[in-house]
Structures are given as C-alpha cells and as structure tokens.
C-alpha cells in the first residue's frame, strides 16, 4: 500500500494515533508466509492437526502479523519513510486465527531528531486486536522518517 501523500517528521507528535487499516488474516496470507519462509508448522497450515491442539483451529504465525503491520507503514508515511530502525518488546497474548479480521491501533510514543537533521526516529506502539476485540499482540517498532524537503528556489 503506497500513500498518496507523505507524513513528514515535523508533523509527527508523541501521542498521535496513526491510521492503520484492519485486515483479514486469510488462509492465503498465512499459506504464502509459510511457503516464503518455509515455516510450515502444522498449527498454521494443517487444519486437521490444528483441531487436536489447545486452539482447535489454525493460527497465524506471530511474526506474520508483525511483518504485515510494518509493511502498512508505507501507506501512512509515504515517501517520508526511510528505513526500519528496530522492533522491540513484542508480546503475544492470544492467537490470531486464520480467517480473523484483525484491528490495529498504532500510537506514536516518541520522536527524536537532531536539530537541523534531515530525518529522525519515530517510535511506535502497536496493539493488535483479535476478531473478538481481545489484545492479541503488543509491541514497538522504530522507523526513520524524513523531514519535508525544502522548497527549491524558482
């Protein structure tokens, strides 16, 4: 997803909520992730096996959800997004089931940049809500976001 605008560093403030769209954790999404990374544990891809587990059905890979969230940041920051600086403090509280509609809350925790620098670090907190509204995952990530380019003299 590509933003049609850019959210430049100077417009980002601690406490700001970023609009990340909810998404469906489809069987195709999970199977594609499993194939890409050769992560084919049966809890993710074998419905008959999953029925025998404590969850009773297929669950998504935890890192798949993280990757999906990080990929969505391009749709928020647009051309201002430069690189991922780090992921930290991620916790898994409940499974995300295959077929779930997943809601996401994303809040800016901190913004730090050197005065006059061309970019700065933005620390984000993500809260992932399972289909029943319960907290499934929570974690942080930091990204490097550019300042708006200076207007060129005509």
């Amino acid at each position: 997803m590509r933003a049609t605008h850019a959210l430049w560093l100077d417009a980002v403030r601690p406490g700001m909520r970023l609009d990340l769209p909810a998404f469906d954790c489809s069987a195709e999404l999970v199977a594609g992730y499993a194939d890409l990374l050769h992560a084919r544990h049966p809890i993710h891809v074998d419905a008959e096996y999953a029925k025998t587990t404590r969850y009773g059905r297929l669950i998504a890979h935890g890192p798949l959800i993280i990757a999906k969230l990080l990929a969505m940041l391009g749709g928020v920051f647009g051309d201002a997004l430069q690189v991922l600086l780090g992921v930290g403090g991620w916790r898994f509280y409940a499974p995300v089931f295959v077929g779930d509609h997943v809601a996401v809350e994303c809040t800016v925790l901190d913004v730090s940049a050197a005065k006059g620098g061309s970019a700065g670090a933005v620390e984000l907190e993500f809260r992932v809500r399972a289909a029943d509204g319960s907290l499934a995952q929570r974690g942080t990530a930091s990204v490097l976001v550019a300042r708006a380019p200076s207007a060129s003299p005509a």
Side-chain angles (χ1 to χ4, degrees), residues 55 60-67 69 87-96 102-103 105 124-130 134-141:
Y55 302 111
H61 305 74
L64 162 62
I65 305 302
I66 299 169
L69 300 177
V87 176
W90 216 277
R91 298 289 309 244
F92 302 96
Y93 299 101
V96 172
V102 179
E105 300 165 7
L124 305 168
E125 178 186 58
F126 297 89
R127 291 177 180 262
V128 177
R129 301 279 176 189
S134 66
L135 182 63
Q137 295 183 18
R138 184 176 146 277
T140 61

Side-chain angles (χ1 to χ4, degrees), residues 13-154:
R13 301 279 181 265
M16 179 182 217
R17 299 283 302 261
L18 301 181
D19 187 26
L20 293 181
F23 63 93
D24 291 320
C25 189
S26 67
E28 295 79 17
L29 179 66
V30 173
Y33 183 87
D35 288 344
L36 178 67
L37 297 176
H38 305 288
R40 300 193 55 78
H41 188 282
I43 191 71
H44 307 298
V45 296
D46 182 339
E48 290 306 311
Y49 172 83
K51 287 179 187 176
T52 69
T53 70
R54 66 187 283 186
Y55 302 111
R57 56 189 172 139
L58 294 172
I59 62 173
H61 305 74
L64 162 62
I65 305 302
I66 299 169
K68 179 77 173 165
L69 300 177
L70 295 175
M72 286 193 267
L73 292 177
V76 173
F77 290 103
D79 289 342
L81 182 64
Q82 294 187 336
V83 296
L84 175 66
L85 296 173
V87 176
W90 216 277
R91 298 289 309 244
F92 302 96
Y93 299 101
V96 172
F97 293 103
V98 173
D100 274 359
H101 188 70
V102 179
V104 182
E105 300 165 7
C106 183
T107 305
V108 176
L109 295 178
D110 191 34
V111 178
S112 59
K115 189 166 180 87
S118 64
V122 176
E123 185 179 7
L124 305 168
E125 178 186 58
F126 297 89
R127 291 177 180 262
V128 177
R129 301 279 176 189
D132 66 0
S134 66
L135 182 63
Q137 295 183 18
R138 184 176 146 277
T140 61
S142 295
V143 291
L144 189 66
V145 176
R147 292 187 192 278
S150 305
S152 300

